[in-house]
Amino acid sequence: MALMVARAVPIEAGPTSSAMAVPHGAASVGVARRRLRSELGDHAIPDAVIDDAVLILSELLSNSCRYARPLALRPDQSDSDDTGAVLVRWRMLADGPLVLEVTDGGATTRPVPASPSVTAHGGRGLSIVSRLARDWGVRHAPGQVTVWAELSPFGQVAAGPEARSA
C-alpha cells in the first residue's frame, strides 16, 4: 500500500481555482482527477466539460510522470532524487476559460503530439488534449516546464487547436 500525500498550494483567488503538489508518480493521477471532478462539480459546469477536463488533466499529469523529471522540492535535491513533486493547477475566472496546468522539472524533449501506429499502446495523449481543448501549449521557466490546456466552461471548442508556446 502506497501513501499518497497531496499538498494544497496557495494560488490567486478566483471563482474556481485550486493547486496541489502531488508526488511524481502514476498514483497521483487518480488523486488529482478526483479533486478536479469534485471541485468542478460544486459549480455550474456541465458534466461533459468536467469529463473533458478530467481526461485532459489525466493525460497531462500522466505524461509528466512518465516522461519528465519532478520539480525539486529543495535547492540541493538532485534529478535522481525521487522525492520531487508535480504541481497541478486549475482555474476558471467568472468570464473566462477553464485553464488546466501541470508543472514539472522538464524532460529531454519538448511535449508534442505523436503519430502512433494503430497498434501502438500509447502516444495519443497530447492528440487527445488537442482535440478536446480549445487551446493548449507549453511554457518554459528555469527548471520548470508547464503544459497547459484551456477549455470553454460551457463546451464551445474551436476547431483544430494547435500547441503553442507562451
Side-chain angles (χ1 to χ4, degrees), residues 36 38 42 58-59 72 77 105 109 115-116 130:
L36 176 63
S38 173
D42 292 341
S58 294
E59 294 298 341
Q77 185 172 330
T109 60
S115 298
S130 69

Side-chain angles (χ1 to χ4, degrees), residues 139-165:
R139 283 193 315 266
H140 297 271
Q144 297 182 358
V145 172
T146 299
V147 182
W148 57 269
E150 284 184 4
L151 289 89
S152 169
F154 301 104
Q156 300 93 5
V157 177
E162 294 298 324
R164 64 174 204 215
S165 294

Side-chain angles (χ1 to χ4, degrees), residues 111-161:
V112 294
S115 298
S117 71
V118 293
T119 58
H121 294 301
R124 295 173 182 82
L126 288 177
S127 294
I128 292 169
V129 170
S130 69
R131 293 275 189 228
L132 296 177
R134 73 180 193 184
D135 200 7
W136 74 277
V138 181
R139 283 193 315 266
H140 297 271
Q144 297 182 358
V145 172
T146 299
V147 182
W148 57 269
E150 284 184 4
L151 289 89
S152 169
F154 301 104
Q156 300 93 5
V157 177

Side-chain angles (χ1 to χ4, degrees), residues 6 12 27 46 61 67 71 97 100 110-111 130 136 154:
E12 300 171 12
L61 187 52
Y67 299 111
L71 289 167
L100 306 167
R110 177 182 169 79
S130 69
W136 74 277
F154 301 104

